Amino acid sequence: AQKKEIALQMDIPTTSVAFADPYMLKTVVRNIMSNAIKFTQPGGTITVSSASVGDYEEITVVDTGVGMSEENLRKSKSDLEQRVIERTMELQQANERLTHELRRREQIENMLRRGAERYKNLFENSIMGIYRADPEGRILMANPTLVKMMGYRSFDELSTASSKKARYEPTFLKKKIKNRLARQGRVRGFDAVWERPDKTRMYVRENARAIRDVNGSVLYYEGTVEDMSEQKKAEERIEL
């Protein structure tokens, strides 16, 4: 202010009392004063005053700068109102997109949940055996039908037996079908004979496929097994 020879006038009653954060108050007044000094011509005047307005103390800073013409002031107000309108519309559109995305995700989650429930119901109640096993032959999943079909009391008993290379070994572990899976990725209607822990034989028809990662390596095998023993016995009786 001294460099520009600006006169500073204080019109603050000595009786004025305000309860406020002193650091915040100083920061606000200092910023307003800096702006007033910046736009006040040399030799101008800046007046700081305060007055009680209801329960508040109002501080006013008035300068003799050139300010803005009425036309520019109206234009600035119009531009500001337009920006507020545009920003409000942008926020409304963003909110609508967010609401739509949340609804879409909720629908997908519901579909996945229903799909998982249907798969679980199919897996547990299917009349066919369903399995999943890793490339080394360890049973990862088996439904109750397959467990019973193989003569075991529980999945844990079956998985323990598979880790010990039981003689019933599923067909896909054998070289012939593994080669077909390697070439074709899927095998349908493969007839084979499995042996249960009690040494009885079971004729099965197997469908299997190899599930691979993005690099083509086998993650696991999965498939279905149908017990064809009764049909096989009937065919043998007919042949006799």
Side-chain angles (χ1 to χ4, degrees), residues 3-62:
K3 291 181 179 180
K4 298 178 68 174
E5 297 182 350
I6 296 174
L8 298 178
Q9 297 181 356
M10 306 297 290
D11 186 14
I12 300 177
T14 57
T15 57
S16 296
V17 177
F19 295 94
D21 185 331
Y23 299 103
M24 182 63 69
L25 184 59
K26 288 180 180 180
T27 299
V28 172
V29 173
R30 182 170 58 248
N31 289 339
I32 296 175
M33 291 292 294
S34 297
N35 188 66
I37 293 172
K38 179 179 180 181
F39 292 101
T40 298
Q41 298 295 329
T45 302
I46 297 175
T47 303
V48 181
S49 61
S50 70
S52 296
V53 180
D55 295 332
Y56 299 94
E57 193 72 17
E58 183 179 88
I59 298 176
T60 305
V61 178
V62 178

Side-chain angles (χ1 to χ4, degrees), residues 170-209:
T171 313
F172 64 76
L173 295 176
K174 297 181 180 179
K175 184 176 181 180
K176 182 177 180 180
I177 197 169
K178 287 188 72 173
N179 289 340
R180 287 180 60 180
L181 284 169
R183 293 193 309 270
Q184 304 171 11
R186 183 186 296 269
V187 173
R188 294 181 182 275
F190 190 90
D191 292 333
V193 179
W194 289 6
E195 187 176 274
R196 297 186 178 95
D198 62 2
K199 309 303 181 183
T200 59
R201 291 190 171 188
M202 174 175 60
Y203 295 87
V204 301
R205 180 162 294 163
E206 194 174 350
N207 299 306
R209 64 172 181 165

Side-chain angles (χ1 to χ4, degrees), residues 7-239:
L8 298 178
Q9 297 181 356
M10 306 297 290
D11 186 14
I12 300 177
T14 57
T15 57
S16 296
V17 177
F19 295 94
D21 185 331
Y23 299 103
M24 182 63 69
L25 184 59
K26 288 180 180 180
T27 299
V28 172
V29 173
R30 182 170 58 248
N31 289 339
I32 296 175
M33 291 292 294
S34 297
N35 188 66
I37 293 172
K38 179 179 180 181
F39 292 101
T40 298
Q41 298 295 329
T45 302
I46 297 175
T47 303
V48 181
S49 61
S50 70
S52 296
V53 180
D55 295 332
Y56 299 94
E57 193 72 17
E58 183 179 88
I59 298 176
T60 305
V61 178
V62 178
D63 61 63
T64 57
V66 294
M68 299 177 66
S69 65
E70 288 295 327
E71 182 180 354
N72 288 336
L73 188 60
R74 285 193 297 270
K75 185 176 183 302
S76 296
K77 181 181 178 182
S78 177
D79 291 343
L80 178 59
E81 290 175 346
Q82 183 61 34
R83 288 198 297 270
V84 170
I85 292 173
E86 292 174 353
R87 184 55 179 164
T88 301
M89 292 179 62
E90 290 175 0
L91 292 174
Q92 290 175 341
Q93 292 172 357
N95 184 62
E96 290 174 359
R97 290 194 297 269
L98 178 59
T99 301
H100 176 75
E101 178 63 20
L102 291 175
R103 288 176 180 170
R104 187 183 70 85
R105 292 188 181 186
E106 183 179 2
Q107 291 174 349
I108 292 175
E109 289 175 358
N110 290 335
M111 290 174 59
L112 291 175
R113 183 167 55 253
R114 289 193 296 268
E117 291 172 354
R118 286 195 295 268
Y119 176 79
K120 181 180 179 181
N121 182 64
L122 174 64
F123 181 80
E124 293 182 348
N125 300 301
S126 174
I127 61 174
M128 300 183 67
I130 303 174
Y131 66 78
R132 177 179 293 177
D134 67 16
E136 286 72 40
R138 289 185 293 269
I139 300 294
L140 305 176
M141 293 173 58
N143 70 338
T145 300
L146 185 64
V147 173
K148 183 178 179 180
M149 186 187 299
M150 290 181 168
Y152 290 94
R153 292 171 296 183
S154 67
F155 170 74
D156 290 338
E157 188 177 8
L158 169 61
S159 61
T160 300
S162 73
S163 66
K164 295 179 179 179
K165 301 296 182 182
R167 293 180 64 188
Y168 74 84
E169 283 186 349
T171 313
F172 64 76
L173 295 176
K174 297 181 180 179
K175 184 176 181 180
K176 182 177 180 180
I177 197 169
K178 287 188 72 173
N179 289 340
R180 287 180 60 180
L181 284 169
R183 293 193 309 270
Q184 304 171 11
R186 183 186 296 269
V187 173
R188 294 181 182 275
F190 190 90
D191 292 333
V193 179
W194 289 6
E195 187 176 274
R196 297 186 178 95
D198 62 2
K199 309 303 181 183
T200 59
R201 291 190 171 188
M202 174 175 60
Y203 295 87
V204 301
R205 180 162 294 163
E206 194 174 350
N207 299 306
R209 64 172 181 165
I211 307 301
R212 304 176 184 275
D213 62 18
V214 293
N215 298 317
S217 300
V218 175
L219 294 173
Y220 53 84
Y221 298 101
E222 65 179 16
T224 59
V225 180
E226 183 179 2
D227 187 352
M228 305 296 293
S229 299
E230 293 300 322
Q231 180 177 328
K232 183 67 175 178
K233 291 177 182 179
E235 291 173 354
E236 290 175 350
R237 286 195 297 268
I238 292 174
E239 291 176 358

